[in-house]
Amino acid sequence: MFDRDRWEEIFQTIAKNRLRTFLSGFTVALGIFIFVILFGLGNGLKNTFQEFFLDDATNIIRLYPGNTSKPYKGYKTGRNIQFTNEDVEAIEKAFPQYVDYLTVRIYRNGEVRYGTHSNSYSVRGTSPEHLFAENTIIMKGRYLNYSDIANAEKHAVIGRLVEKDLFEEEDAIGKYIRIRGSTFKVIGVFQDQAGDNEERNIYAPYSTVQLLDGGHEYVDQIIVAFKPTLSYGTVLMFAEELNKYMRERLIIHPDDNGGIYLRNVAKDYQQNQQFATVLQIIVSFVGLGTLIAGIIGISNIMVFVIKERTKELGIRKALGATPSSIIGMVLQESILITIVSGYLGLMAGVGVLSWVGDTLKPYFIRNPEIDLGTALGATIILIICGGIAGYIPARRAAKIKPIVALRDE
Amino acid sequence: MISLSNIYKSYQTGQSTLQVLKGIDLEIAQGEMVAIMGSSGSGKSTLLNILGILDEADQGKYVLDNTLIENLSERKAALYRNRFLGFIFQSFNLINYKTALENVAMPLYYQGLPRKERIEKANYYLEKVGLADWATHLPGELSGGQKQRVAIARALAADPKVLLADEPTGALDSATSYEVMELVRKINEEGKTILIVTHENDIAQMCKRLVHLKDGVIIEDKLVQSQSPKEYV
Ligand SMILES: Nc1ncnc2c1ncn2[C@@H]1O[C@H](COP(=O)(O)OP(=O)(O)OP(=O)(O)O)[C@@H](O)[C@H]1O
Ligand SMILES: [Mg+2]
């Protein structure tokens, strides 16, 4: 294997038989290249997908009020249901064993102004716990706290893009902005993984929003975070009980499709995880398929290479080459070519992936990448298979009687 | 040097069996130069291939330089070919991507000689066949006669006991043939045992002994008054 003469012989055959070298090298390089690209794009698809769902916390049940569609206990159909602060407290008291935390949302869209800049943003009245439900990341300053809620402070936490729009290069912290005609102090700037839309929101204490609206106690959405340790079955049961509890409390028919809506993020998440698994399987299959195509390609080329060399091998045998030296020479050559071209294909694939980067984001492919282990594993498999593919015809060629090989034209 | 007794060889083609050699007995001593003649299909090449351990006899005994050639593994056969035998083919059988020098050095590579020694020896034999200036040329750049001389240098390089040539002049015009034969005779005069298969009478007349094959048996085995190729030119 480390015989210098053998290597010289191999380098010479490689250098003098360019087409052959190119053909086998190209097949391997292309196989690995396509494998890396497809696998990377598949991973990109998965990344996009996971980002959609891993953005928010997944131990969440959302409750929305609506209009009833059934008469019940003396109430007419079409009644407008509204949630209040009391409902939130009641849920907390009723399900202490399940509830991790609770938070609310009040939606208000409106004109927001700073100096000469103004724009329309969605303002969410909420509580400190909302930070966890939304996976909000504070870039600077702070998020809402309990004293903000208790004192109905006119404090605002603004999205990164709100700061960019209104403040340009200026630092927003401590500055005053006008929201729907009232002056708020900016206490924090946040980021959100979900991207641009989420970063054009403004969070304010729900109590402040209620106060400015004239002192009501309504909320537009209740977010119930259950304890993350609960089993999936328990979560489904809890969601069921919560639904029943709220319908009793707000006097809504148990079978009414309207009145109250409940969205169990955990359930969505479960389904999405299954979808992600399916996606992973598809990606793996595509990768495997490419690899098999590559192996078949290199096998064919090895058969062709040996066929082409039959006469040469016959001459070598007549001159005293042993069968093992013939096999060794052919194999060492093919392994050298596969290693070098496999490496080139790998590098090219990884290069293209990193060059593509996030430019395919509009096509739901984000950060296409392949982990080094998978890529190297695929390359090694192809090298080994190339070796086996070379070994079989090489052994056959080594076994042919020299006169038969010499007769080959 | 060579002793064949009762050699049989047949080829299986489809259903039928073609009996090619039907009991060959032949003794060849060190330093002989033997021409094997016979009409096409008489089994000359078959006999030479058996002598060259490129093929095996079905039956009979073959002793080469006091070594019984029998049931050899491929490895052993390769070793014996490398040590004992030098081949010269009608179609030269040079490796076309290797230079004349590299072709001549090939058997030395399989003898495991170090590179420097290989080059030295190969150069020596190329010079011996008068092609020192063509060492770096590829076979494609050489004439037929030159190619055959490279092949002769290659056959000599490993310093074998016996040179086996199957129609070495078959692809050459007569003037070139005589040049090649002149070279072969010179090598024989230095003591090498040589067997030449040919169907050309003039070539056979340049050897020292003539074995005539017909239908798989030797019908004639005689010494000839060896003529120098120069007398033909
Ligand atoms: N591998 C083989 N398979 C089947 N038949 C063969 C094989 N090799 C040779 N023969 C047959 O054996 C016979 C002898 O062949 P051989 O090559 O020894 O003849 P030859 O005397 O060298 O003839 P030529 O002067 O044409 O070269 C021929 O009839 C040939 O067709
Ligand atoms: Mg013949």
Side-chain angles (χ1 to χ4, degrees):
Chain A
M1 198 63 176
F2 299 101
D3 179 352
R4 185 166 152 253
D5 278 339
R6 170 76 70 80
W7 280 115
E8 258 168 37
E9 189 68 23
I10 285 164
F11 283 128
Q12 190 188 30
T13 36
I14 286 176
K16 296 280 175 68
N17 297 279
R18 296 249 168 81
L19 179 67
R20 193 165 80 201
T21 307
F22 174 79
L23 276 180
S24 39
F26 186 73
T27 312
V28 172
L30 191 70
I32 287 295
F33 178 77
I34 294 177
F35 175 84
V36 169
I37 295 289
L38 287 183
F39 212 86
L41 292 183
N43 276 338
L45 211 57
K46 237 174 60 192
N47 287 345
T48 305
F49 184 79
Q50 293 204 323
E51 185 192 75
F52 275 154
F53 291 97
L54 293 184
D55 160 44
D56 296 350
T58 52
N59 59 326
I60 294 286
I61 298 170
R62 294 171 190 275
L63 296 168
Y64 310 88
N67 292 330
T68 59
S69 59
K70 275 194 170 130
Y72 190 55
K73 289 193 175 169
Y75 287 104
K76 281 192 193 138
T77 187
R79 179 167 51 106
N80 186 359
I81 301 294
Q82 285 193 297
F83 296 160
T84 65
N85 295 351
E86 269 174 40
D87 293 324
V88 180
E89 285 157 29
I91 293 172
E92 188 155 27
K93 282 210 191 79
F95 301 102
Q97 71 274 39
Y98 299 135
V99 172
D100 194 11
Y101 58 86
L102 285 148
T103 183
V104 297
R105 272 188 195 176
I106 306 172
Y107 294 104
R108 295 291 179 269
N109 282 318
E111 175 87 356
V112 179
R113 172 180 292 278
Y114 174 74
T116 55
H117 296 279
S118 82
N119 210 339
S120 179
Y121 297 104
S122 125
V123 180
R124 290 170 173 175
T126 188
S127 69
E129 292 85 353
H130 193 270
L131 178 83
F132 310 115
E134 192 67 27
N135 277 342
T136 304
I137 302 155
I138 289 294
M139 287 168 69
K140 53 187 180 183
R142 63 169 179 86
Y143 201 64
L144 304 172
N145 64 20
Y146 294 111
S147 123
D148 291 329
I149 306 293
N151 302 325
E153 296 281 7
K154 288 192 196 165
H155 285 170
V157 180
I158 65 176
R160 183 178 64 90
L161 293 177
V162 176
E163 184 190 36
K164 209 171 148 200
D165 292 349
L166 296 182
F167 291 85
E168 290 176 346
E169 298 304 304
E170 236 182 292
D171 184 1
I173 302 291
K175 303 276 160 42
Y176 291 88
I177 54 176
R178 307 249 330 147
I179 301 176
R180 289 153 47 96
S182 308
T183 304
F184 279 72
K185 184 178 173 184
V186 177
I187 58 165
V189 178
F190 70 88
Q191 243 180 330
D192 197 298
Q193 293 274 296
D196 295 3
N197 282 337
E198 282 295 329
E199 292 180 345
R200 288 215 156 81
N201 283 326
I202 295 176
Y203 294 118
Y206 70 90
S207 51
T208 313
V209 176
Q210 286 172 339
L211 196 70
L212 290 175
D213 277 359
H216 64 74
E217 292 233 313
Y218 298 126
V219 296
D220 296 332
Q221 187 190 138
I222 299 176
I223 298 171
V224 182
F226 52 82
K227 293 192 169 125
T229 49
L230 299 186
S231 74
Y232 185 57
T234 314
V235 170
L236 291 182
M237 193 197 72
F238 168 49
E240 203 51 46
E241 273 182 37
L242 184 63
N243 196 355
K244 230 162 69 193
Y245 174 80
M246 287 302 281
R247 278 166 194 271
E248 247 166 54
R249 188 177 158 77
L250 299 170
I251 317 167
I252 303 166
H253 192 286
D255 299 328
D256 195 341
N257 284 328
I260 188 167
Y261 302 98
L262 185 143
R263 204 183 127 214
N264 188 348
V265 176
K267 205 168 160 183
D268 296 352
Y269 182 71
Q270 181 86 357
Q271 282 162 1
N272 291 323
Q273 282 302 90
Q274 281 164 3
F275 184 64
T277 308
V278 170
L279 209 62
Q280 176 73 62
I281 291 171
I282 292 172
V283 167
S284 308
F285 257 103
V286 168
L288 197 70
T290 324
L291 214 54
I292 289 174
I295 290 168
I296 292 173
I298 184 71
S299 310
N300 282 339
I301 285 178
M302 282 318 292
V303 170
F304 162 77
V305 163
I306 306 273
K307 184 110 199 68
E308 194 209 33
R309 292 186 80 169
T310 303
K311 180 149 190 175
E312 180 202 328
L313 298 181
I315 296 170
R316 286 175 183 271
K317 290 185 84 173
L319 298 180
T322 57
S324 59
S325 83
I326 297 272
I327 295 174
M329 181 180 73
V330 171
L331 268 194
Q332 240 167 289
E333 184 188 320
S334 84
I335 288 173
L336 180 69
I337 294 173
T338 22
I339 287 176
V340 170
S341 49
Y343 178 77
L344 291 180
L346 183 71
M347 287 298 121
V350 170
V352 167
L353 281 186
S354 75
W355 174 70
V356 164
D358 272 349
T359 55
L360 290 178
K361 226 166 153 184
Y363 305 102
F364 302 108
I365 290 167
R366 188 186 151 88
N367 188 20
E369 62 192 351
I370 183 164
D371 60 298
L372 202 64
T374 310
L376 274 182
T379 313
I380 288 169
I381 287 176
L382 207 59
I383 289 167
I384 290 173
C385 290
I388 294 171
Y391 177 76
I392 294 167
R395 199 188 51 174
R396 201 178 321 132
K399 270 188 177 167
I400 308 181
K401 281 190 198 163
I403 35 158
V404 178
L406 281 171
R407 225 180 279 131
D408 188 85
E409 277 311 325
Chain B
M1 176 60 62
I2 288 174
S3 163
L4 291 179
S5 55
N6 209 24
I7 293 290
Y8 280 82
K9 177 74 183 175
S10 61
Y11 289 115
Q12 203 75 39
T13 41
Q15 309 282 9
S16 60
T17 307
L18 181 67
Q19 194 66 45
V20 181
L21 299 180
K22 305 168 186 166
I24 302 281
D25 296 297
L26 189 62
E27 297 283 335
I28 294 167
Q30 159 97 47
E32 281 200 85
M33 183 167 175
V34 184
I36 299 171
M37 284 198 77
S39 55
S40 185
S42 56
K44 306 183 293 290
S45 296
T46 306
L47 180 60
L48 203 74
N49 288 337
I50 290 171
L51 288 171
I53 326 179
L54 295 170
D55 205 351
E56 261 180 309
D58 299 336
Q59 202 188 316
K61 197 170 146 209
Y62 172 24
V63 178
L64 171 62
D65 194 34
N66 300 321
T67 311
L68 179 65
I69 306 298
E70 193 180 29
N71 294 329
L72 295 182
S73 67
E74 271 291 343
R75 207 190 125 67
K76 259 278 162 61
L79 205 79
Y80 286 177
R81 282 195 293 267
N82 186 250
R83 299 286 149 139
F84 294 156
L85 302 160
F87 295 95
I88 303 165
F89 303 95
Q90 178 175 0
S91 55
F92 323 125
N93 281 342
L94 299 174
I95 293 176
N96 57 16
Y97 63 83
K98 286 184 177 288
T99 63
L101 185 76
E102 287 162 350
N103 265 290
V104 175
M106 278 292 287
L108 302 170
Y109 168 73
Y110 287 114
Q111 279 189 345
L113 254 61
R115 186 181 168 76
K116 215 178 133 215
E117 218 169 304
R118 297 202 303 263
I119 302 287
E120 237 164 58
K121 274 199 173 182
N123 265 321
Y124 169 79
Y125 283 103
L126 264 187
E127 194 164 334
K128 198 175 171 79
V129 300
L131 288 177
D133 295 341
W134 297 82
T136 58
H137 287 250
L138 292 174
E141 300 159 358
L142 302 176
S143 73
Q146 287 172 324
K147 278 188 222 177
Q148 197 58 299
R149 281 191 282 162
V150 172
I152 291 169
R154 181 177 68 181
L156 288 174
D159 194 22
K161 309 263 183 214
V162 179
L163 269 192
L164 300 172
D166 195 347
E167 316 234 14
T169 58
L172 306 175
D173 62 52
S174 57
T176 320
S177 295
Y178 297 156
E179 279 170 38
V180 167
M181 281 312 290
E182 182 60 41
L183 180 61
V184 173
R185 275 167 62 98
K186 208 176 91 196
I187 293 161
N188 173 249
E189 267 147 33
E190 288 168 12
K192 197 131 308 216
T193 313
I194 301 178
L195 271 86
I196 299 176
V197 164
T198 181
H199 56 254
E200 289 164 88
N201 229 323
D202 48 353
I203 300 296
Q205 292 305 320
M206 294 168 203
C207 299
K208 294 174 180 164
R209 178 176 163 192
L210 200 157
V211 172
H212 209 126
L213 275 188
K214 194 178 178 194
D215 295 331
V217 290
I218 296 173
I219 54 162
E220 189 184 22
D221 185 350
K222 62 174 184 190
L223 295 178
V224 288
Q225 198 57 45
S226 174
Q227 287 172 295
S228 163
K230 285 176 188 132
E231 293 162 35
Y232 284 86
V233 181

